[in-house]
């Protein structure tokens, strides 16, 4: 959580082909009492280098751990598009929390975001629930950015948009002083859908 720190994550599909790159920069760091809050700005470009999305969200470090703004689950650019259409939006949820003192077998709190949109005759709801989060083990992970000592966290996710439902499970490797190093997403059938790895890191 140092201003100016940069991270780059590369997204691969199930066939190990690059689908896009997300570049992050910590644009601001604010201190208030025992809390430190960092603003994470990011840009996602596709495999051809075309800018697809820009957004930002906040991460807060408390004396007990890290809290990630639940609104990070709903892209700012998408929110702006809906608002430009005259749609009123109400976003509520529970922040994603990662305690400082992780240990194998530890259960972590659930997180969710609920979006209600209203444009008169048109109403829509989006719900994303992240649950069954737990720390599996400690292990070393090597990516293009280096080798990191990590905790492996597993979790399940359920997204509901109107009548459409999507269920996935994730494996997330996080490292102290860095954050997420690697993530794998699996479908309901247990097959790998995509993975994302830290490919550049500078602070």
């Amino acid at each position: 959580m140092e201003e100016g720190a940069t991270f780059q994550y590369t997204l691969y599909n199930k066939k190990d082909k690059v689908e896009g790159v997300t570049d992050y920069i910590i644009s601001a760091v604010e201190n208030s009492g025992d809390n430190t809050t960092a603003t994470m700005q990011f840009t996602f470009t596709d495999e051809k280098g075309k800018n697809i999305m820009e957004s930002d969200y906040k991460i807060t470090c408390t004396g007990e751990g890290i809290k990630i703004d639940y609104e990070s689950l709903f892209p700012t650019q998408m929110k702006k598009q809906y608002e430009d259409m005259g749609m009123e939006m109400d976003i509520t949820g529970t922040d994603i929390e990662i305690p400082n003192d992780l240990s194998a077998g530890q259960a972590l709190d659930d997180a969710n975001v609920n979006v209600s949109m209203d444009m008169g005759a048109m109403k829509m709801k989006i719900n994303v629930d992240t649950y069954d989060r737990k720390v599996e083990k400690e292990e070393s992970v090597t990516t293009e950015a280096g080798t990191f000592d990590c905790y492996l966290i597993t979790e399940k996710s359920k997204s509901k948009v109107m009548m459409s439902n999507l269920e996935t499970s994730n494996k997330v490797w996080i490292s102290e002083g860095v954050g997420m190093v690697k993530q794998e997403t699996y479908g309901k059938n247990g097959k790998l859908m995509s993975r994302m790895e830290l490919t550049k890191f500078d602070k």
Side-chain angles (χ1 to χ4, degrees):
M1 298 179 70
E2 296 180 20
E3 191 169 336
T6 58
F7 310 77
Q8 184 185 83
Y9 292 93
T10 301
L11 177 66
Y12 303 86
N13 64 18
K14 61 184 178 182
K15 295 182 179 179
D16 214 31
K17 183 179 178 181
V18 174
E19 285 200 328
V21 173
T22 305
D23 287 291
Y24 286 85
I25 183 168
I26 298 179
S27 59
V29 177
E30 300 174 3
N31 294 292
S32 177
D34 293 332
N35 293 347
T36 300
T37 300
T39 300
M40 304 284 291
Q41 287 188 327
F42 71 86
T43 302
F44 177 72
T45 53
D46 64 14
E47 73 280 5
K48 296 178 182 178
K50 182 181 178 182
N51 187 328
I52 301 298
M53 182 174 68
E54 295 180 2
S55 187
D56 63 68
Y57 60 90
K58 295 184 184 298
I59 293 180
T60 300
C61 179
T62 69
E64 298 178 351
I66 295 288
K67 285 188 176 184
I68 303 173
D69 185 351
Y70 62 81
E71 289 195 37
S72 68
L73 296 171
F74 191 75
T76 301
Q77 193 174 51
M78 189 181 296
K79 178 182 176 183
K80 185 177 185 302
Q81 287 175 347
Y82 284 129
E83 289 175 339
D84 288 345
M85 291 165 57
M87 193 172 284
E88 294 183 6
M89 302 186 65
D90 181 37
I91 303 177
T92 59
T94 307
D95 291 342
I96 303 166
E97 295 190 27
I98 303 173
N100 285 332
D101 53 343
L102 296 178
S103 59
Q106 183 177 5
L108 304 179
D109 291 340
D110 296 346
N112 65 75
V113 61
N114 305 296
V115 184
S116 297
M117 291 175 275
D118 188 344
M119 195 169 68
M122 181 181 175
K123 292 181 173 61
M124 185 166 68
K125 287 188 176 183
I126 299 173
N127 305 99
V128 180
D129 292 307
T130 304
Y131 61 100
D132 199 14
R133 301 174 63 229
K134 56 188 176 184
V135 182
E136 294 290 342
K137 59 183 178 180
E138 293 182 62
E139 64 181 9
S140 179
V141 174
T142 299
T143 71
E144 288 183 27
T147 299
F148 306 90
D149 293 326
C150 298
Y151 284 97
L152 169 59
I153 295 174
T154 58
E155 61 188 25
K156 294 179 181 177
S157 180
K158 185 181 293 183
S159 303
K160 185 176 182 180
V161 182
M162 303 297 283
M163 302 302 291
S164 175
N165 292 294
L166 176 64
E167 293 184 33
T168 60
S169 58
N170 299 311
K171 292 182 177 179
V172 184
W173 287 263
I174 62 170
S175 179
E176 185 176 356
V178 179
M180 192 183 79
V181 172
K182 181 179 176 181
Q183 176 175 321
E184 295 178 347
T185 300
Y186 296 82
K188 195 174 180 180
N189 58 6
K191 293 183 178 180
L192 181 68
M193 295 172 61
S194 63
R195 67 181 174 90
M196 187 163 57
E197 292 188 359
L198 181 67
T199 43
K200 290 182 182 178
F201 172 58
D202 185 49
K203 65 177 182 178

